[in-house]
Amino acid sequence: MVRAAYLIGTLVLTVGFGPAGAAQNKTQPAPKPERATFRVLGLFSPDRETDLREALKAVPDVTWVGVNFADAELTVEFVPAKAFPGTKPEQIAERFDQKLRDATQHTFGVKPRRTVPRDKLKEVVIPAPILDCKACCLAAYEAVAKIDGVEQATATFKDGGKVTALIDPAKTDRAKLEDALRNAGVSIPKM
């Protein structure tokens, strides 16, 4: 039997031709999109949400659902076979990260959601009065966010400038964050 599939609206029409050439029609629904939440990188201030929403439009077959700035998480919908053909489920975060980085000149990316409960993390706030623009904030954010043990970070030039990080104290500490900022050219006042 020869089969052919046709996409009609949200239904897929499968037509089979038997030995006598008579068409046999079967309909089956199109695959439903899956919803997934990822930790988003590059979301260092609330105004970057608009930038992220616009950037996601350049990632084919992935649809914005929402963002949780407090947890730095992005929720999207996609049909895995269409958005990430040939990708195993455990590789989707990596493939999505590549597509998002390509679409944003590496200013946004994703990782799997954090596994450390929020109540086990420590918030570290570092004054950084030198931060006076969005680009400076991005550089400070990137210096801190790449450190192993930093689960979330923000940077702002408002209110005098500061970098805030949610860290796993078993993996990193304030001194490592300050060193990374100094290495990126961010001067930190002595406390």
Side-chain angles (χ1 to χ4, degrees), residues 7-74:
L7 181 62
I8 302 174
T10 59
L11 293 178
V12 174
L13 176 62
T14 304
V15 180
F17 297 94
Q24 302 167 350
N25 293 335
K26 295 180 184 179
T27 59
Q28 56 188 2
K32 289 186 178 182
E34 292 183 15
R35 190 171 279 200
T37 301
F38 301 93
R39 192 169 76 174
V40 64
L41 306 173
L43 191 65
F44 61 84
S45 69
D47 63 324
R48 290 277 290 163
E49 181 179 328
T50 302
D51 299 338
L52 177 60
R53 184 186 294 264
E54 286 301 310
L56 197 59
K57 290 177 183 177
V59 180
D61 303 313
V62 177
T63 305
W64 171 281
V65 173
V67 70
N68 177 339
F69 180 76
D71 290 327
E73 292 182 339
L74 170 66

Side-chain angles (χ1 to χ4, degrees), residues 87 95 103 129 131 183 190:
T87 303
R95 288 284 311 280
L131 300 179
N183 289 338
K190 297 193 184 224

Side-chain angles (χ1 to χ4, degrees), residues 38-42 51-60 62 64 74 76 84 93-111:
F38 301 93
R39 192 169 76 174
V40 64
L41 306 173
D51 299 338
L52 177 60
R53 184 186 294 264
E54 286 301 310
L56 197 59
K57 290 177 183 177
V59 180
V62 177
W64 171 281
L74 170 66
V76 294
F84 309 104
E94 182 180 337
R95 288 284 311 280
F96 181 36
D97 179 58
Q98 290 169 349
K99 285 185 172 195
L100 186 57
R101 286 181 181 282
D102 289 347
T104 65
Q105 288 85 37
H106 295 264
T107 60
F108 285 108
V110 295
K111 287 185 175 182

